[in-house]
Amino acid sequence: MTRKSCLIPAVGVISALLLAVGIGLMVSQAFRTVMDNRLKKEIVLVEGSRVFQSWKNPPPPVYMEFFFFNVTNADMILKGTKPALTQVGPYTYREYRYKDNVTMVENGTKVSAYNTKSFVFVREKSVGDPAVDTITTVNIPAWAVMTKVKASFFRSAGVNAKMKTLKTPLFTTVTVDELLWGYEDSLLAFAASRDATVDKVFGLMYKKNGSNDGEMVFHTGVEDYMDYGRIQTWKGESKLKFWNSEESNTITGSDGSAFHPLLTKDERIHIFTPDLCRTIYMDFQKEVEVKGIPAYRFTPPRSVLASKEENPHNAGFCVSPKECLGTGLLKVSPCRKGAPVVASFPHFHLADPKYVEAVGGMSPQMEHHQTFLDLNPTTGIIVRANKRAQVNLLIEKILAFASTNYLNQTVFPVMFINESVTIDDASAARVQKLLLISNLVPNFPLFIVGLGALLLAIFIVLLIRSRKQKKSSEEDASYSPVNEKEKEDPQNGTYLGLVDKSEQQA
């Protein structure tokens, strides 16, 4: 058998083997399983892993924007007029965050840490100077004290008399710096002299610059990749004590800085937020792309802050049956020392329209007021995020305080924040490289199938050519006259007659 005759069947056999192996690998998803298992082992919170250092010290810059609602008709509000507010901002701060006192516990299956944050003002990203610009808003310390004593007639009368002596207004004008980072309030100073638990300084971000939210213990993901970054305890507790049901007091999900790899569109993301003193959840909204990296956008649905009538699971967040607010609001007074603070999304986005209509100057827009997370589904890495929340104060008529007699119960906007981050270029390049590898490896069976298909095509071509050559050889072994002249002149010397050898010998 010649070398050429051996080539064709060899090509056919090789192509068949490649096709069988490639299709088998594609069906079994063997390479995808190998790559997924590799990701699960590498994306864990242990020293030396691919993500541990960036978890402790996140490289992308985080910015915190503060927007305030300036009151333009304070005197008229006290007479029952609808509040008129004007949005002022942003006042932008670079937020530096890192995990402090990181300690591995329980044989490396969990890690404890403190999430420390500090803020530095960024003038070029702000509308003005926070040390100079002033904001007129509700006097939060006064409302906090009045709310705390309203159940007692004698205490209310005493506070009322002291407020008149101090000439404490229900609306106040302070600088942005004071409203954020703190100022000494005369009424709080009076209360502090009688109650050691009261601080005489008030600020919306008081004691939050260079501080942390308390110790958190996280799952490393070593035992189960789905537990990667999930909080086990906060301040030594696995349950909260602020709310009225076990479901509402559950601590679950991550702190918003780490999410498990291999995300799917149909799963619900849970995040525990110390600022809200509760766990919230997010659902898939759409696919996006950030710096060439594919991502799934997750955002809180309306049901997160829905009323108990709209979402019965939220009944536990009612402070009391009489203090159960409508859709879009969460009264956080249980974890704010009883102050009538109400949380919502900016401009009452996703809230009952009645809250928007009760205050002038509200204009909820999804583009500017939605909270979202853009997560790469393969790695779980955050490529872009915007956390947006609004601080409100519940103001209403309090019987012992005559100055409140004409007030309508109103959820009064004070400020909203926009905490944003986008992956930096260096981190994006590393993620793209990892994604390239994770996409190439599982698709290797396609290369094998393609090579098998190419060899199959070559096999078919060689087989066709071989048959044509064989047929041509068979035709050459028989005579066929070239033209009519040859047929008429059998003695023409221009051709060779083919005769049997025995006939020649005769």
Side-chain angles (χ1 to χ4, degrees):
M1 184 178 286
T2 64
R3 184 180 299 176
K4 186 174 181 181
S5 62
C6 292
L7 176 64
I8 296 176
V11 171
V13 170
I14 293 172
S15 68
L17 285 173
L18 288 174
L19 286 171
V21 171
I23 293 172
L25 289 173
M26 288 175 63
V27 172
S28 66
Q29 293 286 299
F31 278 80
R32 169 62 67 185
T33 302
V34 169
M35 195 64 215
D36 288 352
N37 289 336
R38 181 71 181 272
L39 284 171
K40 293 173 186 178
K41 289 180 179 179
E42 289 197 6
I43 302 181
V44 289
L45 297 179
V46 296
E47 198 67 57
S49 73
R50 188 182 289 272
V51 296
F52 193 57
Q53 194 59 38
S54 60
W55 176 76
K56 291 193 295 184
N57 295 286
V62 180
Y63 292 97
M64 178 74 88
E65 295 177 318
F66 296 96
F67 297 83
F68 300 92
F69 295 105
N70 191 59
V71 181
T72 60
N73 65 336
D75 293 336
M76 297 303 294
I77 294 172
L78 294 175
K79 297 178 182 179
T81 302
K82 176 180 176 178
L85 308 180
T86 303
Q87 180 177 299
V88 180
Y91 293 88
T92 305
Y93 293 76
R94 171 73 187 272
E95 181 180 333
Y96 295 89
R97 50 168 65 194
Y98 61 92
K99 299 291 194 301
D100 198 13
N101 293 334
V102 178
T103 307
M104 304 305 298
V105 295
E106 297 187 26
N107 297 321
T109 61
K110 297 180 181 64
V111 57
S112 68
Y114 292 81
N115 190 19
T116 303
K117 300 178 184 180
S118 59
F119 302 88
V120 177
F121 181 64
V122 183
R123 182 64 183 87
E124 58 270 22
K125 290 180 175 288
S126 305
V127 297
D129 185 348
V132 176
D133 297 354
T134 59
I135 300 294
T136 298
T137 186
V138 287
N139 189 339
I140 299 176
W143 281 99
V145 173
M146 289 191 297
T147 301
K148 189 170 184 177
V149 302
K150 69 179 182 180
S152 169
F153 174 79
F154 293 104
R155 294 180 68 192
S156 296
V159 170
N160 191 27
K162 191 62 181 180
M163 288 178 66
K164 289 180 179 179
T165 302
L166 297 173
K167 296 181 179 180
T168 303
L170 296 184
F171 290 88
T172 186
T173 300
V174 293
T175 66
V176 170
D177 261 350
E178 290 174 329
L179 186 56
L180 280 178
W181 308 113
Y183 62 95
E184 186 172 324
D185 180 80
S186 57
L187 184 60
L188 287 179
F190 166 72
S193 66
R194 287 159 172 76
D195 185 348
T197 63
V198 176
D199 198 317
K200 63 183 179 180
V201 176
F202 167 77
L204 293 169
M205 296 289 290
Y206 179 53
K207 292 184 177 179
K208 290 189 177 182
N209 197 348
S211 64
N212 60 74
D213 296 318
E215 183 191 35
M216 289 186 178
V217 176
F218 304 88
H219 288 264
T220 61
V222 171
E223 293 181 313
D224 186 345
Y225 83 99
M226 292 292 288
D227 285 336
Y228 168 73
R230 183 170 67 82
I231 298 171
Q232 175 69 17
T233 61
W234 176 51
K235 295 183 177 180
E237 301 289 340
S238 59
K239 293 276 186 181
L240 302 173
K241 299 177 181 178
F242 303 122
W243 311 109
N244 297 317
S245 72
E246 186 165 338
E247 181 181 9
S248 300
N249 281 318
T250 299
I251 298 175
T252 187
S254 77
D255 66 341
S257 66
F259 299 91
H260 69 78
L262 309 177
L263 290 161
T264 61
K265 295 179 180 179
D266 58 355
E267 68 180 290
R268 177 164 275 180
I269 300 296
H270 289 85
I271 301 171
F272 173 67
T273 308
D275 291 334
L276 295 178
C277 311
R278 63 162 288 186
T279 298
I280 66 168
Y281 53 85
M282 298 187 181
D283 292 334
F284 172 81
Q285 183 189 23
K286 62 180 179 179
E287 294 185 22
V288 296
E289 185 175 288
V290 181
K291 295 187 177 182
I293 301 172
Y296 290 169
R297 173 163 293 182
F298 289 86
T299 186
R302 177 183 167 94
S303 59
V304 170
L305 296 180
S307 66
K308 65 177 182 179
E309 290 78 19
E310 191 174 324
N311 181 6
H313 293 286
N314 287 343
F317 294 114
C318 295
V319 178
S320 71
K322 293 182 179 180
E323 297 179 90
C324 206
L325 302 176
T327 292
L329 306 179
L330 175 68
K331 192 171 184 180
V332 294
S333 55
C335 62
R336 292 291 179 267
K337 298 181 179 180
V341 178
V342 176
S344 70
F345 293 117
H347 286 250
F348 299 116
H349 172 60
L350 297 181
D352 191 312
K354 70 180 181 181
Y355 299 114
V356 178
E357 296 163 1
V359 182
M362 297 293 100
S363 179
Q365 301 173 36
M366 185 178 74
E367 179 184 357
H368 300 296
H369 304 139
Q370 180 190 53
T371 290
F372 66 84
L373 277 171
D374 291 342
L375 305 175
N376 174 250
T378 302
T379 62
I381 291 173
I382 300 171
V383 293
R384 181 171 55 198
N386 280 82
K387 173 188 172 183
R388 293 159 171 157
Q390 182 167 297
V391 177
N392 311 278
L393 202 72
L394 182 64
I395 64 172
E396 59 188 342
K397 179 181 178 179
I398 302 177
L399 291 177
F401 299 89
S403 54
T404 68
N405 283 349
Y406 298 101
L407 285 177
N408 297 311
Q409 187 184 68
T410 306
V411 179
F412 205 101
V414 177
M415 165 191 88
F416 81 82
I417 64 167
N418 177 27
E419 189 177 26
S420 61
V421 62
T422 300
I423 191 170
D424 59 290
D425 292 340
S427 298
R430 288 193 292 270
V431 173
Q432 288 171 343
K433 183 179 179 180
L434 178 61
L435 292 178
L436 178 62
I437 296 171
S438 66
N439 288 330
L440 282 177
V441 172
N443 288 323
F444 186 69
L446 286 176
F447 171 76
I448 297 176
V449 171
L451 183 60
L454 178 63
L455 289 177
L456 178 62
I458 293 172
F459 169 72
I460 293 172
V461 170
L462 290 175
L463 193 62
I464 293 173
R465 288 182 60 184
S466 174
R467 290 189 174 183
K468 283 184 177 179
Q469 289 175 355
K470 184 177 180 181
K471 185 176 181 181
S472 177
S473 298
E474 290 175 351
E475 289 176 350
D476 287 344
S478 62
Y479 167 70
S480 176
V482 176
N483 51 45
E484 291 298 324
K485 186 176 180 181
E486 291 174 352
K487 292 180 181 180
E488 295 171 357
D489 187 4
Q491 300 301 319
N492 192 301
T494 61
Y495 71 97
L496 295 175
L498 297 179
V499 296
D500 187 89
K501 190 175 181 179
S502 60
E503 291 177 2
Q504 289 180 341
Q505 290 175 350

